[in-house]
Amino acid sequence: MVKNRIFIALYILIIFQVSCKKVYDSSDADIVINELMAINNSIAADQNGEYDDWIELFNKTSATIDISGYYLTDSKNNLSKWQMPVGTSIVGNGYLIVWADKDTTQTGLHTNFKLSSLGERVIFLNPHLAIVDQVEYPAQTLQLSYSRVPDGTGPFVWQIPTFSSSNDQNK
């Protein structure tokens, strides 16, 4: 009788662990998603003067890292949705803005998808389609960004955007 209860308890524990949503840990990643903005009406314009959605990547190391061939996506079903062009790199402790505007004809880094203001997931993957970092954000408040504080390591919070600069507004 005791063996049966132990077996049942272990079985329930295993089922519970398998069914739980895995939380992705990006603490070992050198490049992370650092900030994003799905409603940008006046914060930062691209080179064409358009106020589009944007994703900021941050290099947590002191060395320049080439991210040519890496991917960004907003779809679990299409991990290779948009690929970084050859020659894309991020300087040490630097930021890189990728415009999520579904306008790949523009010069620069412009994805073939937009961010949903209702909330969704953004995934950053290496050239082998292994997840480097991902963030799930809720519905966006107008003119606030979803930002890691402190840069690269902290939890995500809503705050005044710090486009291509430190998210720590106390610096």
Side-chain angles (χ1 to χ4, degrees):
M1 188 74 160
V2 172
K3 286 183 180 179
N4 284 344
R5 287 185 183 183
I6 292 171
F7 176 76
I8 290 170
L10 285 173
Y11 180 75
I12 291 171
L13 181 63
I14 290 169
I15 295 298
F16 178 73
Q17 286 179 334
V18 169
S19 66
C20 286
K21 181 179 172 186
K22 182 181 180 219
V23 176
Y24 187 78
D25 179 16
S26 64
S27 60
D28 292 335
D30 291 337
I31 306 289
V32 294
I33 300 166
N34 200 51
E35 185 174 9
L36 60 86
M37 193 164 187
I39 300 175
N40 173 25
N41 295 330
S42 63
I43 298 300
D46 68 11
Q47 75 283 349
N48 290 14
E50 299 170 346
Y51 291 92
D52 295 316
D53 306 345
W54 50 269
I55 301 163
E56 177 187 85
L57 300 176
F58 176 64
N59 179 350
K60 298 188 317 187
T61 75
S62 59
T64 297
I65 297 178
D66 184 350
I67 58 169
S68 301
Y70 280 63
Y71 295 89
L72 276 171
T73 186
D74 63 346
S75 171
K76 297 186 295 188
N77 299 322
N78 185 1
L79 297 179
S80 61
K81 195 167 191 177
W82 183 79
Q83 189 173 33
M84 298 279 178
V86 172
T88 305
S89 62
I90 306 177
V91 298
N93 299 306
Y95 306 91
L96 180 72
I97 299 296
V98 178
W99 298 98
D101 60 0
K102 207 173 190 176
D103 192 353
T104 57
T105 61
Q106 289 185 351
T107 302
L109 302 175
H110 293 264
T111 67
N112 57 357
F113 62 91
K114 291 183 175 195
L115 300 179
S116 171
S117 62
L118 300 176
E120 68 177 333
R121 176 179 297 158
V122 176
I123 307 170
F124 180 57
L125 305 102
N126 71 18
H128 306 290
L129 297 178
I131 295 174
V132 175
D133 191 19
Q134 66 180 332
V135 60
E136 221 170 296
Y137 65 95
Q140 182 176 344
T141 304
L142 188 63
Q143 299 302 310
L144 292 178
S145 67
Y146 202 50
S147 311
R148 280 187 204 263
V149 179
D151 287 320
T153 60
F156 278 87
V157 298
W158 290 109
Q159 70 173 20
I160 295 169
T162 58
F163 183 84
S164 201
S165 62
S166 176
N167 293 342
D168 185 353
Q169 296 183 352
N170 295 322
K171 280 187 172 182

